[in-house]
Amino acid sequence: MSDGLFPLPRDRAELSPGAWHVPDWLSLDEQRELVVAAREWAAPPAGMRHVVMPSGGVMSVRSVSLGLYWEPYRYLDRLPDGTAVKAFPAVLGELAARAVRDVYGPTSLPDDAYDIGLVNFYDARARMGLHRDADEASLAPVVSLSIGDACVFRFGNTETRTRPWTDIELRGGDLVVFGGPSRLAYHGVPKTLPGTGDPRTGLAAGRLNITIRASGRR
Ligand SMILES: O=C(O)CCC(=O)C(=O)O
């Protein structure tokens, strides 16, 4: 996407204590490689699907779990129908470790702490309500990568689904990391901005989000 003749630099920003937005963190090559990989992850068996909430509501985002299978509100070793979950790819562990070092500096977190990938695909109508990532036994920072269409990313507080919150525009290539006092903050995606993605990533439409987490089982 372009800001016109004079692209404005976007600065790294702390959304709340311990939560950082790092614009343009992934190179175009890395985005391309992740799009190719995501197509494989999305394919059956154990491929991309709409998650059904306990209320019966169906999430508009389509997701695929890697490493462990997430369903609200727990992680399973296998899918509910017994199918094996796809393995957690080394590339996601490496990206997460690099992101954490980049944002917080040297850390005592083992490089292999990360073991869960949740890959979300948003079509033009998809969104994600405010929620907390609270099903992990580990409080290692959550690492979130965006590719494709921009979106409005809402980062709230740890107490309630209501204000105060901060809305930012997340674009393809951006990184968000939230740990420390913000690890359990509510966050969500009220809308995407269709048609804003860079087709050179290989993603012709929509938004891909890859969230990398540590289960605490390692
Ligand atoms: O799509 C995003 O940027 C956020 C995804 C998310 O919050 C989640 O998977 O829990």
Side-chain angles (χ1 to χ4, degrees):
M1 110 171 229
S2 153
D3 288 303
L5 279 179
F6 304 104
L8 301 168
R10 296 180 303 141
D11 293 330
R12 177 179 295 227
E14 194 169 25
L15 305 174
S16 71
W20 286 88
H21 171 213
V22 187
D24 302 316
W25 188 77
L26 287 169
S27 68
L28 187 56
D29 279 346
E30 286 171 326
Q31 293 176 63
R32 276 198 201 106
E33 284 162 23
L34 288 170
V35 169
V36 170
R39 291 211 164 89
E40 281 177 26
W41 299 332
M48 206 161 238
R49 63 199 59 211
H50 292 278
V51 171
V52 180
M53 303 302 288
S55 61
V58 177
M59 286 178 71
S60 54
V61 170
R62 284 189 296 145
S63 310
V64 57
S65 295
L66 305 170
L68 289 172
Y69 179 78
W70 178 78
E71 67 172 20
Y73 296 97
R74 60 184 179 158
Y75 287 101
L76 302 173
D77 292 315
R78 304 183 81 82
L79 272 68
D81 67 5
T83 313
V85 187
K86 288 197 172 89
F88 178 72
V91 63
L92 295 191
E94 286 155 15
L95 285 167
R98 191 177 104 206
V100 167
R101 276 198 305 271
D102 188 349
V103 166
Y104 303 110
T107 153
S108 57
L109 201 63
D111 266 8
D112 67 350
Y114 287 90
D115 57 351
I116 300 168
L118 194 61
V119 182
N120 300 308
F121 180 75
Y122 294 72
D123 67 18
R125 291 177 313 280
R127 58 201 174 90
M128 193 177 284
L130 282 182
H131 65 281
R132 301 194 303 165
D133 295 354
D135 301 327
E136 302 79 27
S138 163
L139 290 179
V142 172
V143 173
S144 175
L145 304 169
S146 293
I147 301 175
D149 284 343
C151 75
V152 174
F153 180 72
R154 179 163 291 170
F155 199 80
N157 61 84
T158 53
E159 305 302 321
T160 71
R161 275 199 174 80
T162 56
R163 290 173 194 274
W165 60 50
T166 303
D167 281 351
I168 58 164
E169 187 175 304
L170 272 189
R171 297 185 191 165
D174 289 4
L175 163 72
V176 171
V177 181
F178 50 99
S182 291
R183 171 60 181 79
L184 294 175
Y186 284 91
H187 58 281
V189 174
K191 66 174 179 179
T192 65
L193 307 174
T196 53
D198 182 344
R200 292 175 302 166
T201 60
L203 195 63
R207 170 172 187 265
L208 192 62
N209 167 258
I210 304 176
T211 298
I212 313 169
R213 307 171 185 172
S215 69
R217 295 189 188 186
R218 282 195 175 161

